[in-house]
Every structure is written in structure tokens, then in C-alpha cells.
Amino acid sequence: MFSQAIVKQPSESLINGITEANLGLPDIQLAREQHKQYIKALELCGLSVTVLSADETYPDGCFVEDPAIITPAGAIITRPGAASRTGECEAISQALKEVPLQTTDIHAPGTLDGGDVMMVDSHYYIGLSERTNPAGANQLIQILESWGLSGSTIQMKDMLHLKTGVSYLENNTVLVCGEFLNEPAFQSFHRLAVAEEEAYAANCIWVNDRVIMPAGYPRTQAMIESAGYQVLSVDVSEFRKLDGGLSCLSLRF
Ligand code: CIR
């Protein structure tokens, strides 16, 4: 179960964020409203949410999942693979000083984005992507092992982040799509396959027995509900324009 979350307000510079989505520029007012609804959904799941102020220096700064990973044993400040994002770590590191957890970090030449890390109980799957390199993944595995946890890598092909295409919904269940449908590492899970036209909805978060998912993906929502979950949907269309998944808007612990 989770009790807390950290989020960061979107900045006006969000329009300059990294994207390959080709969905146009985000509407900042709408992004702010959607972000508020996202916080409400986390609160509805029982989380106490720390809201960090927007920082115009970092267009992608609201995607807080990438600069840190929080495990029950400690937190890891990552070294994001996109050069424009490395400075985001400072604010997250400051915020984590308020959390009573040991903290360590990923160092050069390692790069690692939290979006590439999926927690399944005490094991962490790490996607090797354009953002996360083998050095970063190996450092993370060593840190996890020193804390009594474990990690393993998954070679990725096309997706931005591991969790762009797979989400762990507890109860041995994963939501999967695209390149991960046949991924050997996920074959032992109960797999809920997301249709290609709803691929964006493969990024959902399990929060204390509920699943928060993006609004507007009825087939995926019906499938998750049929699997027995109570679903909360939140419109995150403006973040999607920046290739941002729903999970990347918060750190949950
Ligand atoms: C980026 O390309 O880094 C941002 N525009 C989006 C990051 C999304 N992060 C995530 O899904 N974990």
C-alpha cells in the first residue's frame, strides 16, 4: 500500500518539452486543471500528496517519475537520459530530504529514467531504452541488491519507456501492449492485453486497490474493470502531447 505521493506542477515552459507525439502543443491552462484532477485522484486513493511548485527552467519537470525511484528501502536519484532533464534531479533530491529514507544516486556514465523501472513486489524490471543505458541499469541492480531487493533488464525496441507499454497492477497482473505482449519476462503474469489503438492506456497506476487510468480508453477501462479493479479515470491529454504517461506525473511510496 502507498501512503504518499510527490507531484510537480506543470510549468508554462511545458510547451518546450521533449516530444515525438505530433499531437500539437499542450494547453497550459488545461494541463494545470488536469494536474489538479490527477492530484484529487491520488488523494481519493488515500495518499497524502506533496505538490512541488512549477519550475520554468525545466519544461519536462512535471514528469517527476523520471528523476527518482522510491523503494520501501530507499530512494535513488536517477540520471535522466535526456540532457535537458538532468537538472530536474536537484529539486527532487531536495523534496526527498523530507522523507525518512536513505538516498543514493546513479552516476556517469550511467543514465536511467524512472519511467523505465517497474516495481513488482521486491523485484524491479528495468527497460534498456534510449534513456536508460546498461551502466545505469547495472548500477541500479547493485543498489537494489545491497538493499535486499532485486532487478533485471529488458531490452526495449521502440517505446519511450518501459512503463509506456506495461503496468503492474498487483495480484500478479500486468497490463501490456505492443513490443511487450510477447516479452518472455512477462509470460508468467496474468496479462491484460491493451489493443493497439488504445496503446496510451497501457500506462496506468495501481494505487491502494484502485487503478488510475487515462480517460478516453473505454475498451481498456472495461477490461481492467472486468479483472476486478475499481477504476478512476483522469484526463491527461495535455501531458500525452509531451509523450508523458499517467504514471510519470507522480512518485508514489
Ligand atoms: C520526455 O520525453 O522526457 C518527456 N517529454 C516525457 C516523459 C514521460 N515520462 C514517463 O512516461 N515516465
Side-chain angles (χ1 to χ4, degrees):
M1 298 292 267
F2 297 114
S3 61
Q4 295 187 58
I6 296 174
V7 302
K8 185 166 181 155
Q9 292 169 330
S11 58
E12 293 193 10
S13 60
L14 183 67
I15 53 168
N16 299 319
I18 310 168
T19 183
E20 293 188 357
N22 269 322
L23 293 171
L25 289 177
D27 174 326
I28 301 300
Q29 277 313 110
L30 186 53
R32 286 190 182 126
E33 187 47 41
Q34 292 180 346
H35 198 255
K36 283 186 192 146
Q37 297 305 321
Y38 181 81
I39 293 170
K40 274 192 190 157
L42 293 173
E43 288 174 341
L44 213 73
C45 296
L47 303 193
S48 154
V49 183
T50 300
V51 183
L52 308 179
S53 307
D55 180 350
E56 295 300 331
T57 319
Y58 299 108
D60 288 301
C62 59
F63 302 119
V64 287
E65 185 179 59
D66 295 319
I69 296 156
I70 306 185
T71 78
I76 299 114
I77 306 295
T78 69
R79 191 164 171 271
S84 64
R85 301 201 59 193
T86 46
E88 293 173 25
C89 294
E90 180 56 34
I92 293 295
S93 182
Q94 283 300 327
L96 287 174
K97 291 207 167 99
E98 307 299 316
V99 177
L101 278 175
Q102 58 181 323
T103 303
T104 185
D105 47 26
I106 300 294
H107 47 84
T111 63
L112 188 116
D113 276 15
D116 279 322
V117 181
M118 183 174 79
M119 174 178 80
V120 175
D121 304 322
S122 60
H123 188 79
Y124 292 73
Y125 290 97
I126 308 161
L128 295 173
S129 67
E130 297 256 306
R131 303 287 179 89
T132 296
N133 66 16
N138 289 337
Q139 284 177 41
L140 178 59
I141 292 171
Q142 280 181 7
I143 294 165
L144 292 169
E145 288 179 351
S146 73
W147 292 347
L149 305 168
S150 59
S152 57
T153 56
I154 291 179
Q155 183 59 55
M156 293 172 51
K157 298 185 190 88
D158 305 319
M159 291 194 188
L160 173 60
H161 286 123
L162 180 73
K163 285 186 288 189
T164 306
V166 57
S167 303
Y168 186 56
L169 303 184
E170 303 292 314
N171 313 307
N172 201 45
T173 300
V174 286
L175 199 56
V176 269
C177 79
E179 66 186 78
F180 301 126
L181 285 168
N182 297 316
E183 167 56 47
F186 302 140
Q187 299 303 304
S188 61
F189 292 101
H190 174 50
R191 282 165 295 139
L192 302 176
V194 176
E196 199 49 46
E197 60 274 24
E198 294 202 357
Y200 181 71
N203 178 275
C204 292
I205 52 176
W206 176 97
V207 188
N208 301 347
D209 289 335
R210 297 189 209 219
V211 172
I212 307 181
M213 70 170 292
Y217 301 90
R219 284 177 66 185
T220 309
Q221 178 160 352
M223 177 171 65
I224 298 172
E225 285 172 344
S226 308
Y229 297 93
Q230 191 181 338
V231 170
L232 289 174
S233 66
V234 180
D235 193 354
V236 286
S237 63
E238 301 317 288
F239 301 98
R240 184 183 177 203
K241 292 175 180 172
L242 278 307
D243 290 331
L246 185 138
S247 72
C248 62
L249 291 170
S250 62
L251 283 163
R252 305 154 301 277
F253 53 104

